[in-house]
Amino acid sequence: MNLNDARNEIDRIDREILPLFARRMELGGIIGQLKEAAGLPVENSEREREILLKITRESGNELGSSARILFSTLFELSKSYQRRLHTKDGEFEQKITKSLAETPALFPATARVACCGVPGAYAQLAADKLFQLADITYFNDFNAVFQAVEKNLCEYGVLPIENSTSGTIDQVYDLMLGHKFHIVRSCRLKVRHCLLLPAGAKLSDITEVISHEQGLKQCANYIKTLGKVKLTTAASTAVAAKTVSESGRKDIAAIAAKECAGIYGLQIGAENIQDKDSNYTRFICISQNPEIYPGSNKISIMGLLPHKPGALYSLLARFAVLGVNLSKLESRPKRDGDFEYMFYFDFEASMADPELRTLIAELVSEENRFTFLGNYSEI
């Protein structure tokens, strides 16, 4: 047998496989309808296990693991198809379709916006990047920002979610599970930290540096050059600047944005003191209801997966089938869960794609384990 003969034989086998695959999916759909009528769940892990054991034995040592992957993928495709049959045009899809149709063509120029901190906070700078003129209300912590949006005290909220130097903002991720919100836009803000001193103070006078914990982490190398100084955390970098301004001391300094110097009457002791020049913080803009503006090309979802082999693979396989690119995956243990993990995903995709919309509707409908966070663009 030469190369062409082998390829022709593979083509012949593929032609035989395709109608068998179509028939298998058709039967899976029938089974799904029968299960739904009987009030039974789509998944039957015991039957899957029995089939995989049988397939492994019959395939032999050389092909056993490959056969398991093949049939595991078939199971996921079949279950996905079964779910799709009875979730189509459900409440979630109707909600998203309405959002796609009714969201205005342009992102609002001005709005009531909730931010954590005080004037001069990086969240304020992010809000100024997202909106032409934001009417900002400041809150003491991230939880209060979520609540302000939930209770409609503010139309939008701006929250940091990750930093290119110090990583994930853990507190924001933890709060996501307990609040109802939608991401409508995001932005990347270049962070340029400054060491701000009281008027008339000298660098040699400084014995204490105050900032948000992220600010302290991002400037660790510069802080070492100050010698032995006390490090104190504040609710935000801007709160740190305000604290220094009101302290009446000459031996304390804040790490904050340059804008805080003018706001709080401080002098700049050093500029651009972050460890890395490519220091960016990503902020999300949240709202109470989904808003999907034209050009939105990023989708975020969040959900729980059981702590068992193949759980993450099974989920990712469903997106891979649609050719969706995963751009971020974050996981963390659920605080009150028993070996359960919360996963956060960013995908490069649009909810205008009906197949993707159906898939996410399936995930949302599966025992409410997943939440659609938003379809948005990043600036």
Side-chain angles (χ1 to χ4, degrees):
M1 179 179 287
N2 59 34
L3 180 61
N4 286 332
D5 291 338
R7 285 175 172 171
N8 290 333
E9 181 70 6
I10 287 176
D11 289 342
R12 183 187 65 76
I13 293 171
D14 287 346
R15 287 193 296 270
E16 293 177 3
I17 289 175
L18 188 58
L20 291 173
F21 172 72
R23 178 56 177 164
R24 192 187 195 288
M25 293 294 285
E26 180 184 2
L27 290 170
I30 293 171
I31 289 172
Q33 292 172 345
L34 294 171
K35 285 182 176 179
E36 184 180 11
L40 298 173
V42 167
E43 186 163 351
N44 185 337
S45 58
E46 184 60 24
R47 175 165 167 76
E48 288 181 18
R49 188 180 67 84
E50 290 174 359
I51 294 174
L52 289 177
L53 285 171
K54 179 183 176 183
I55 292 299
T56 301
R57 285 195 296 266
E58 293 179 355
S59 300
N61 294 333
E62 185 175 353
L63 296 176
S65 59
S66 298
R68 283 199 304 276
I69 293 173
L70 171 63
F71 276 81
S72 294
T73 303
L74 280 175
F75 294 158
E76 292 305 320
L77 292 173
S78 180
K79 288 184 289 187
S80 178
Y81 182 61
Q82 290 178 39
R83 295 184 185 103
R84 196 176 308 161
L85 290 176
H86 66 82
T87 59
K88 197 168 184 178
D89 298 327
E91 182 181 346
F92 174 80
E93 288 200 272
Q94 291 174 12
K95 182 179 181 180
I96 296 302
T97 301
K98 181 180 179 182
S99 179
L100 286 166
E102 297 182 359
T103 300
L106 297 176
F107 194 73
T110 185
R112 291 177 289 114
V113 181
C115 290
C116 181
V118 294
Y122 284 108
Q124 177 218 309
L125 303 183
D128 290 340
K129 186 174 182 179
L130 290 161
F131 299 90
Q132 292 181 27
L133 184 61
D135 179 10
I136 298 177
T137 301
Y138 295 95
F139 294 87
N140 291 331
D141 53 49
F142 297 140
N143 187 54
V145 173
F146 278 108
Q147 290 181 338
V149 173
E150 278 184 325
K151 296 177 181 178
N152 205 30
L153 299 175
C154 293
E155 297 164 273
Y156 299 96
V158 174
L159 294 154
I161 193 169
E162 62 181 331
N163 178 266
S164 58
T165 300
S166 54
T168 297
I169 314 297
D170 293 338
Q171 189 179 358
V172 175
Y173 275 90
D174 289 338
L175 288 168
M176 283 181 173
L177 282 173
H179 292 281
K180 294 182 179 180
F181 65 95
H182 293 87
I183 303 173
V184 297
R185 184 155 285 197
S186 67
C187 74
R188 281 163 41 100
L189 182 72
K190 187 163 188 177
V191 176
R192 296 182 175 91
H193 288 307
C194 294
L195 186 71
L196 304 182
L197 314 179
K202 300 176 183 178
L203 276 176
S204 57
D205 297 331
I206 302 305
T207 61
E208 182 178 359
V209 175
I210 181 171
S211 187
H212 187 271
E213 62 177 345
Q214 294 289 330
L216 295 175
K217 287 181 182 179
Q218 293 161 23
C219 302
N221 291 335
Y222 176 80
I223 291 172
K224 290 177 183 177
T225 68
L226 299 175
K228 192 174 181 180
V229 294
K230 178 183 177 182
L231 302 182
T232 303
T233 58
S236 72
T237 54
V239 167
K242 184 179 180 183
T243 300
V244 169
S245 176
E246 296 174 349
S247 68
R249 295 166 53 186
K250 297 293 185 183
D251 64 340
I252 187 172
I255 292 175
K258 186 177 182 178
E259 287 79 359
C260 288
I263 295 172
Y264 298 108
L266 301 173
Q267 65 181 26
I268 299 174
E271 294 188 56
N272 294 327
I273 63 173
Q274 61 276 358
D275 293 348
K276 296 181 180 178
D277 187 55
S278 57
N279 184 23
Y280 289 87
T281 295
R282 182 176 171 229
F283 288 83
I284 54 173
C285 180
I286 64 171
S287 72
Q288 190 178 79
N289 299 308
E291 298 173 6
I292 304 176
Y293 291 90
S296 296
N297 58 0
K298 185 186 290 286
I299 292 175
S300 295
I301 63 173
M302 178 180 64
L304 297 172
L305 287 176
H307 187 51
K308 66 178 183 180
L312 179 59
Y313 165 79
S314 297
L315 175 65
L316 295 180
R318 296 164 73 175
F319 283 94
V321 168
L322 299 180
V324 174
N325 183 47
L326 172 68
S327 58
K328 179 179 174 65
L329 169 59
E330 184 82 20
S331 68
R332 58 198 310 104
K334 187 172 180 286
R335 286 185 174 181
D336 56 348
D338 184 13
F339 295 107
E340 285 189 314
Y341 284 76
M342 188 274 281
F343 286 81
Y344 175 97
F345 302 88
D346 283 342
F347 294 97
E348 295 174 1
S350 169
M351 291 298 284
D353 182 342
E355 286 189 313
L356 181 62
R357 194 162 63 242
T358 299
L359 171 55
I360 294 180
E362 294 169 21
L363 296 177
V364 170
S365 68
E366 291 169 18
E367 300 176 357
N368 296 315
R369 294 181 67 85
F370 272 85
T371 301
F372 168 74
L373 298 179
N375 183 193
Y376 55 95
S377 59
E378 183 165 293
I379 62 173

